[in-house]
Amino acid sequence: MKFPIDRFQSLKTPFYYYDLDLLTRTIDVAMDQAADPRYHIHYAVKANANPLVLAPIRDAGWGADCVSGNEVEAAVVNGFAPDSIVFAGVGKTDDEINYALGVGIGCFNVESLPELEVISQLATARGVTAKVAIRVNPDIDAHTHHYITTGLNENKFGIDLRHLDDVVDTALRLPGIKLVGLHFHIGSQLLDMEPYRLLCLKINELQAHFAEKGIQFPSINVGGGLGIDYDNPDANPIADFKSYFDVFRNNLHLGKNQQLHFELGRSIVAQCGSLISRVVYVKQGVEKQFAIIDAGMSDLLRPALYGAHHKIENITSADAAEEVYDVVGPICESSDVFGKDEKLPGLHRGDLVALRSAGAYGETMASRYNLRPIPASVGI
Ligand code: LLP
């Protein structure tokens, strides 16, 4: 990626940089590959809720996938059509449900029987009908990091297959509820399409089962999770949307007039974002050389939380002779490390480094640990 270094010099580091041209190209490719009037993409706001990022996604006419009342509000404030908003999450509070009913969201992705009952009561009290999809836990292993695997029986998400008939029957008879579909999400950062193929087969099976009972759902929502190439962001700046949509196109049997919904987050926004930071000190250890930068795990939590690796670049002097560094942040935690034994063009105090692929789950997972400020953002 070519960084606008001149523009960066006057900015206080660390900051999130968004390449809005790459974001627009990513949206275009995803739309081309999804081209089917029955396919609808809802952007997963949890990946990045920055208005700079939300604007082109809204302008593409996409819906929003939200997991809190505040995310629903952010989607509405940023101009997403309320009826294009879907709302998942195992712990929706009464306040959040009431807010979402008030703005008239498109669908609650319901994760438990007690939640279904509460939505029914609150909708009835307001004299409105809540559209709901039942989130199904399909017991499919996404083979990704265990913290971001969601579709196994051991996970807290969705309704177990053994309870599904009961919950569907309840949804069909409860007042204030209109059952519109089934929802699935098996995990995040999936690069192998096989779990999605298995998901399609499972959905076909479930649809056949419900058809026998005379039930056809207007919509199916297959969630998100398409992964990106963290190691080679320049070689693969745009996720493999073709393989992803092809799996569904080739394996999922949609019923007559049935709509298919997707909830993509990371694959849309990850590669357009970098966390830009400055080297504060280069410190010689006994066996190691540390590059201490002014960004820390409070600004990009993924390495500390998941052992994830984001490509690190010296963007001040890309051609200097290479040296080996542990690249670390300033925070008082041993896990505040971005890279061990990183081979980088020689770093000096004041140099700018880019932590790549930080557009998804970077800014939204930032905290004020050590009373650090939340970094600013710039979109160019
Ligand atoms: N739909 C549901 C119901 C979800 O739970 C998620 C993500 C998505 C859609 C969007 O998934 P995506 O397309 O972004 O993979 N903080 C972790 C990722 C957590 C994902 C949580 N759910 C990370 O930094 O890797």
Side-chain angles (χ1 to χ4, degrees):
M1 179 176 286
K2 189 120 182 47
F3 290 98
I5 300 271
D6 293 347
R7 301 278 296 275
F8 286 180
Q9 293 306 344
S10 60
L11 299 173
K12 184 170 160 31
T13 51
F15 60 88
Y16 302 100
Y17 162 67
Y18 299 116
D19 176 343
L20 298 178
D21 177 59
L22 176 56
L23 175 57
T24 306
R25 283 187 285 128
T26 306
I27 295 168
D28 288 347
V29 173
M31 299 238 291
D32 278 355
Q33 294 301 333
D36 182 316
R38 298 166 302 174
Y39 287 14
H40 309 274
I41 307 178
H42 303 258
Y43 166 66
V45 173
K46 67 175 83 61
N48 191 320
N50 190 310
L52 291 169
V53 166
L54 294 180
I57 298 173
R58 169 207 61 214
D59 291 346
W62 292 9
D65 160 40
C66 302
V67 286
S68 72
N70 284 350
E71 282 192 1
V72 174
E73 187 177 358
V76 172
V77 166
N78 283 281
F80 286 80
D83 66 358
S84 75
I85 297 174
V86 298
F87 183 13
V90 296
K92 302 178 192 79
T93 64
D94 292 21
D95 282 351
E96 291 177 312
I97 294 168
N98 270 322
Y99 176 73
L101 288 171
V103 297
I105 65 160
C107 190
F108 290 85
N109 291 332
V110 169
E111 310 233 9
S112 67
L113 197 53
E115 178 194 334
L116 185 63
E117 285 161 354
V118 168
I119 294 176
S120 165
Q121 284 159 15
L122 296 177
T124 311
R126 299 175 80 93
V128 297
T129 300
K131 283 181 267 177
V132 311
I134 307 296
R135 177 166 180 179
V136 183
N137 184 332
D139 198 23
I140 289 173
D141 194 344
H143 298 292
T144 181
H145 191 284
H146 63 283
Y147 280 12
I148 49 178
T149 289
T150 48
L152 285 174
N153 280 344
E154 66 197 55
N155 302 128
K156 68 181 174 183
F157 301 99
I159 305 278
D160 189 278
L161 288 168
R162 285 160 291 195
H163 301 147
L164 184 58
D165 278 322
D166 275 355
V167 177
V168 165
D169 289 345
T170 309
L172 288 170
R173 80 178 152 68
L174 277 180
I177 297 286
K178 177 165 189 247
L179 180 60
V180 297
L182 298 179
H183 171 240
F184 305 81
H185 173 75
I186 56 176
S188 198
Q189 182 54 14
L190 273 75
L191 293 169
D192 175 10
M193 296 299 110
E194 180 61 9
Y196 287 125
R197 194 183 66 84
L198 297 176
L199 174 64
C200 290
L201 302 186
K202 180 70 78 179
I203 296 173
N204 293 341
E205 215 179 279
L206 287 172
Q207 296 238 76
H209 165 77
F210 283 106
E212 269 178 27
K213 300 170 66 166
I215 300 169
Q216 209 236 59
F217 302 102
S219 73
I220 296 291
N221 182 333
V222 290
L226 174 62
I228 59 130
D229 189 344
Y230 280 98
D231 297 329
N232 306 293
D234 289 322
N236 295 309
I238 298 184
D240 187 1
F241 293 109
K242 177 168 173 25
S243 301
Y244 175 73
F245 286 109
D246 276 353
V247 182
F248 296 98
R249 201 168 278 128
N250 297 332
N251 296 288
L252 188 66
H253 306 315
L254 286 181
K256 197 163 175 284
N257 298 326
Q258 199 168 43
Q259 307 295 305
L260 185 58
H261 298 259
F262 300 88
E263 301 171 340
L264 292 171
R266 184 191 323 261
S267 54
I268 308 302
V269 294
Q271 298 292 33
C272 79
S274 294
L275 176 61
I276 308 295
S277 175
R278 215 175 267 284
V279 176
V280 190
Y281 299 112
V282 175
K283 166 174 163 176
Q284 297 298 330
V286 181
E287 284 167 12
K288 297 230 174 218
Q289 173 167 242
F290 296 98
I292 303 168
I293 62 176
D294 63 5
M297 62 191 278
S298 57
D299 315 306
L300 182 62
L301 183 60
R302 303 191 70 260
L305 188 58
Y306 313 116
H309 184 257
H310 289 246
K311 189 162 189 270
I312 305 172
E313 269 175 52
N314 176 350
I315 59 173
T316 297
S317 40
D319 299 325
E322 284 191 335
E323 294 192 40
V324 177
Y325 303 91
D326 277 14
V327 179
V328 303
I331 292 174
C332 301
E333 296 276 346
S334 301
S335 57
D336 189 27
V337 175
F338 290 114
K340 291 207 160 152
D341 300 324
E342 294 273 341
K343 241 194 209 166
L344 291 169
L347 287 167
H348 301 94
R349 175 174 165 79
D351 283 355
L352 289 175
V353 297
L355 296 160
R356 302 290 305 276
S357 316
Y361 306 108
E363 192 173 353
T364 46
M365 292 178 82
S367 78
R368 292 217 46 216
Y369 188 39
N370 285 192
L371 288 190
R372 291 163 54 81
I374 302 287
S377 56
V378 48
I380 297 175

